[in-house]
Amino acid sequence: MARRHEELIRDANEALLENGDLDVVGEVFGERYVLHAGGKEHKGHAFVRRFVKQLRSAVSKVRVVNITFLVDKGDTIVWQRTLSGRHDAAMKGIAASG
């Protein structure tokens, strides 16, 4: 089962971040999806869509370099990813760096 989760997360990251295909959000992430980052919790499909749009508008040529899976147990999957791209526009107060 864990292998299926890994493939799903990898495919979702490629579709969302590299291709900008927001239609996969509902297919991949549950309604109660929670992202923990920067000491905050971000919840739901609306957050995922908003984040992808913000990232793709600020960073061109986004590519998923690596995904590391830390936990895959029950309904919990913990993973982290490394992205690359060119920071062309400000995002969340961070000026473009090129």
Side-chain angles (χ1 to χ4, degrees), residues 67-92:
I67 299 176
T68 302
F69 292 87
L70 306 170
V71 175
D72 187 349
K73 186 173 183 176
D75 65 352
T76 301
I77 302 169
V78 179
W79 49 278
Q80 64 185 22
R81 66 180 166 226
T82 303
L83 306 174
S84 70
R86 183 176 151 156
H87 191 182
D88 294 322
M91 181 176 170
K92 297 196 151 276

Side-chain angles (χ1 to χ4, degrees), residues 39-56:
K40 296 180 182 177
E41 282 189 359
H42 306 279
K43 299 178 181 182
H45 292 173
F47 167 76
V48 176
R49 288 185 183 99
R50 187 172 56 252
F51 171 77
V52 170
K53 288 177 186 177
Q54 287 175 343
L55 179 68
R56 289 182 48 83

Side-chain angles (χ1 to χ4, degrees), residues 9-27:
I9 295 296
R10 288 181 198 286
D11 290 348
N13 271 275
E14 180 179 322
L16 287 167
L17 300 176
E18 294 184 14
N19 302 328
D21 182 2
L22 297 177
D23 292 336
V24 302
V25 172
E27 298 171 18

